RNA sequence: GGAGAGGUGGCUGAGUGGUCGAAAGCGCUCCCCUGCUAAGGGAGUAUACGUUAAUAGCGUAUCGAGGGUUCGAAUCCCUCUCUCUCCGCCA
């Protein structure tokens, strides 16, 4: 959520910045609501003030033993007036809040304008796309030939966009998780965390998935439960600090979590329907940082670097892009995507997305820290990034490390987690 | 699932209808005293919004959330939610 102060004081520049994200703020509607709110608030507060002072007088008169009936008569009509005014003000406030909750975060000055991923700016390429002296296959063919990956069986169990796996591919999948988490906790200073996979509405409000993106989520709506499956560990883990004040000395908080992620993928029908690129359920190792506001942009560079390290250690060629305004997420002020080279698609595909949310989520969550300089509780900044998406990393390993005979070589750094296996063969 | 207790400011914790935004303690900030790795004294210390040149004053709201009763509610009633204790069931 944006600071409503800057909306009131500097609406024009807010509108201009939102344009970069292709978001058109209904300025007229906002101004009108705001204007109405102001006048109504003043008149309501006047009424409340009158009620308060008269009630006080009644209390004092009663204490002295005076007759209070005349005083009671004078307040008789106040109640109804107040009730009406308060109800109207509430309604207006609710509409303003709804408007505010739907406004995305402002993009950072370094974010380029643009409408789609075609307008993203490439920052660097690392590694050489693998060369093959045979026609490389995609992970679907490879998985089928190896015999451990079955989409039809998953469809029987659950429908489209699920997979079942058996045997060494699953071991590799698990090895990736272990490898990533160990790297982050031992080398990058993150604290390993465990969090719920089902969360309530307030939690999703906090990180910005609700109220605007409800259709992207799986929802448990039964008699006794109103919960959502997490679309990313960002949601529960960032909310660790919701409604709390963190001591300055504890910052930055750096959390790593491995969780499944659940996404309805509404609106992406027909997109990446084949294979494991886009599933309703996938595993991800997520990095979350809670930092001082003055440290957040540097933290974004650091966090992105941590995700890159994983790709580098796995020897996977990738490129790093800055998302343009139109591609930038709702809550993010700046996002780096890491795109891994997939020989089977002959393309770079997103494998990590690292974002700085400034105080946008913190304001929604009421996540604060005590600033020693001011002595006040102020909003923290939050960041998150995939380090990495496990399913897509599995694909990348399969396609990049494939052999002419359809086998998959195991990267050196993963072998300690593969009980000696150096290659997966049919 | 059954029975009970409870959610108050950064923290602990008083407060059962009227000068309660809220005692006290802790913590923190400033000042004084003392001059030595102690201690003592004093003052201040929630947030949001409105008004305003103002982080000054004043006003309004906020004691888990929402609704109700009342001239007036942290205090009474209802619903929801969370926590704790005991019993039952259970990976």
């Amino acid at each position: 959520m944006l600071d409503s102060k800057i909306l009131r004081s500097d609406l024009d520049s807010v509108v201009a910045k939102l344009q970069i994200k292709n978001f058109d703020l209904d300025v007229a509607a906002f101004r009108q609501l705001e204007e109405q709110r102001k006048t109504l608030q003043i008149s309501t507060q006047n009424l409340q003030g009158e009620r308060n002072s008269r009630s006080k007088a009644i209390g004092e008169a009663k204490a002295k033993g005076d007759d209070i009936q005349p005083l009671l008569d004078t307040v008789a009509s106040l109640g109804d007036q107040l009730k009406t005014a308060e109800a109207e003000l509430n309604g207006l406030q609710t509409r303003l809040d709804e408007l505010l909750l739907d406004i995305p975060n402002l993009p950072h000055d370094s974010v380029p304008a643009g409408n789609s991923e075609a307008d993203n700016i490439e920052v660097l390429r690392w590694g050489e796309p693998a060369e093959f002296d045979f026609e490389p296959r995609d992970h679907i063919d490879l998985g089928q030939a190896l015999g451990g990956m079955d989409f039809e069986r998953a469809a029987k169990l659950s429908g489209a966009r699920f997979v079942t796996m058996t045997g060494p591919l699953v071991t590799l999948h698990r090895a990736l998780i272990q490898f990533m988490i160990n790297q982050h906790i031992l080398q990058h200073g993150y604290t390993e965390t465990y969090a719920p996979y089902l969360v309530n509405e307030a939690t999703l409000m906090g990180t910005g998935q609700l109220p605007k993106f409800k259709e992207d989520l799986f929802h448990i709506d039964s008699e006794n439960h109103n919960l959502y499956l997490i679309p990313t560990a960002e949601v529960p883990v960032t909310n660790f600090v919701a409604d709390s004040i963190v001591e300055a000395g504890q910052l930055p908080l750096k959390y790593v979590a491995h969780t499944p992620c659940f996404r309805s993928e509404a609106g992406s029908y027909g997109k990446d329907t084949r294979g494991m690129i886009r599933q309703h359920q996938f595993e991800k190792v997520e990095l979350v940082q809670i930092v001082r506001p003055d440290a957040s942009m540097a933290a974004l560079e650091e966090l992105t670097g941590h995700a890159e390290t994983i790709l580098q250690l796995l020897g996977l060629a990738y490129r790093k892009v800055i998302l343009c305004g139109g591609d930038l997420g709702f809550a993010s002020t700046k996002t780096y995507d890491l795109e891994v080279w997939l020989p089977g698609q002959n393309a770079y595909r997103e494998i990590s997305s690292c974002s700085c949310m400034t105080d946008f989520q913190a304001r929604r969550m009421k996540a604060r820290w005590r600033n020693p300089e001011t002595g006040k509780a102020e909003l923290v900044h939050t960041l998150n990034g995939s380090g990495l998406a496990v399913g897509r990393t599995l694909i990348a390993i399969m396609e990049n490390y494939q052999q002419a005979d359809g086998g998959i070589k195991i990267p050196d750094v993963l072998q300690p987690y593969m009980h000696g296996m150096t290659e997966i063969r049919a």
Side-chain angles (χ1 to χ4, degrees):
Chain A
M1 194 157 66
L2 295 180
D3 186 353
S4 57
K5 276 199 199 84
I6 68 162
L7 274 166
R8 284 194 287 266
S9 66
D10 201 5
L11 187 57
D12 291 341
S13 83
V14 169
V15 168
K17 284 193 173 180
L18 289 174
Q19 286 289 326
I20 293 173
K21 268 185 144 172
N22 290 341
F23 182 88
D24 291 316
L25 182 63
D26 190 339
V27 178
F30 176 77
R31 282 222 167 94
Q32 197 196 346
L33 274 175
E34 185 54 31
E35 199 52 46
Q36 286 176 3
R37 194 215 91 230
K38 204 178 235 180
T39 40
L40 197 54
Q41 183 168 342
I42 290 170
S43 63
T44 306
Q45 289 188 353
N46 286 341
L47 280 171
Q48 288 170 328
E50 198 167 332
R51 177 203 60 196
N52 289 348
S53 63
R54 294 199 185 191
S55 293
K56 206 174 215 173
I58 291 172
E60 284 165 0
K62 210 173 176 185
K64 278 190 269 180
D66 294 349
D67 179 17
I68 59 170
Q69 193 51 49
L71 288 168
L72 285 178
D73 293 340
T74 64
V75 284
S77 66
L78 260 181
D80 287 341
Q81 280 185 60
L82 243 181
K83 214 167 237 175
T84 315
E86 280 175 348
E88 207 179 328
L89 183 62
N90 273 341
L92 213 52
Q93 196 62 258
T94 304
R95 278 167 62 198
L96 257 171
D97 286 345
E98 283 166 0
L99 192 83
L100 227 52
L101 282 170
D102 277 358
I103 300 174
N105 198 3
L106 302 179
H108 189 259
D109 289 339
S110 60
V111 170
N115 296 316
S116 71
E117 54 184 298
D119 299 313
N120 295 341
I121 291 180
E122 183 175 301
V123 180
L124 70 79
R125 288 188 183 214
W126 185 92
E128 293 294 323
E131 301 273 348
F132 299 92
D133 50 14
F134 57 91
E135 187 60 30
R137 302 197 258 174
D138 68 16
H139 69 279
I140 304 157
D141 284 353
L142 290 165
Q144 195 164 28
L146 289 169
M149 189 179 278
D150 194 329
F151 294 96
E152 284 176 27
R153 176 153 66 186
K156 175 180 70 182
L157 305 177
S158 306
R161 294 200 192 279
F162 289 94
V163 68
T164 68
M165 292 189 284
T166 50
L169 281 179
V170 192
T171 312
L172 179 58
H173 187 261
R174 180 161 55 88
L176 282 166
I177 295 165
Q178 294 281 50
F179 161 68
M180 290 179 196
I181 292 177
N182 280 346
Q183 177 69 24
H184 294 309
I185 62 178
L186 299 174
Q187 307 298 325
H188 300 157
Y190 288 77
T191 303
E192 189 168 7
T193 61
Y194 179 82
Y197 304 155
L198 291 164
V199 296
N200 59 30
E201 287 188 350
T203 302
L204 286 153
M205 284 280 190
T207 34
Q209 284 76 16
L210 288 179
K212 210 173 182 178
F213 305 102
K214 187 173 181 184
E215 67 280 3
D216 295 337
L217 302 166
F218 282 105
H219 187 191
I220 310 286
D221 185 10
S222 68
E223 194 182 338
N224 296 315
H225 299 286
N226 180 23
L227 294 167
Y228 296 80
L229 280 78
I230 57 171
T232 158
E234 164 199 348
V235 174
V237 175
T238 308
N239 274 282
F240 278 14
V241 292
D243 292 312
S244 69
I245 299 175
V246 184
E247 289 307 321
Q250 291 184 276
L251 298 177
L253 291 169
K254 296 165 72 173
Y255 295 124
V256 58
H258 154 242
T259 71
C261 304
F262 303 94
R263 299 188 182 178
S264 77
E265 295 298 343
S268 53
Y269 300 113
K271 202 172 170 186
D272 300 316
T273 48
R274 261 170 58 80
M276 275 184 72
I277 289 273
R278 192 175 299 276
Q279 300 262 288
H280 287 311
Q281 170 186 319
F282 62 96
E283 307 289 305
K284 185 154 59 70
V285 170
E286 182 78 358
L287 306 174
V288 170
Q289 290 199 25
I290 315 294
V291 305
R292 298 166 51 123
D294 57 9
S296 62
M297 291 318 286
L300 175 62
E301 301 299 322
E302 183 202 76
L303 185 149
T304 310
H306 294 153
E308 288 179 67
T309 300
I310 301 293
L311 286 164
Q312 292 171 9
L313 289 171
L314 290 172
L316 294 169
Y318 69 93
R319 67 181 202 129
K320 177 180 180 181
V321 300
I322 300 179
L323 295 193
C324 71
D327 215 18
L328 197 55
F330 179 70
S332 176
T333 193
K334 181 175 184 178
T335 297
Y336 288 111
D337 269 10
L338 302 178
E339 299 178 347
V340 70
W341 178 255
L342 291 184
Q345 296 205 2
N346 200 39
Y348 286 100
R349 292 302 305 263
E350 178 188 338
I351 196 166
S352 171
S353 194
C354 303
S355 302
C356 176
M357 312 309 205
T358 59
D359 60 10
F360 187 85
Q361 294 179 324
R363 185 170 293 105
R364 290 170 164 244
M365 296 190 299
K366 293 188 187 62
R368 296 168 296 169
W369 68 300
R370 195 160 291 284
N371 183 343
E373 285 172 29
T374 61
K376 299 263 184 196
E378 298 171 9
L379 296 172
V380 296
H381 280 197
T382 59
L383 302 100
N384 67 74
S386 358
L388 308 162
V390 180
R392 289 187 181 179
T393 310
L394 177 72
I395 293 174
I397 300 283
M398 289 172 72
E399 295 193 5
N400 282 282
Y401 283 87
Q402 64 180 293
Q403 309 295 300
D405 63 0
I408 312 289
K409 263 187 67 181
I410 307 296
D412 292 346
V413 292
L414 294 179
Q415 286 180 15
Y417 302 96
M418 295 290 292
H419 42 79
M421 217 184 296
T422 58
E423 190 171 344
I424 298 175
R425 351 189 102 268

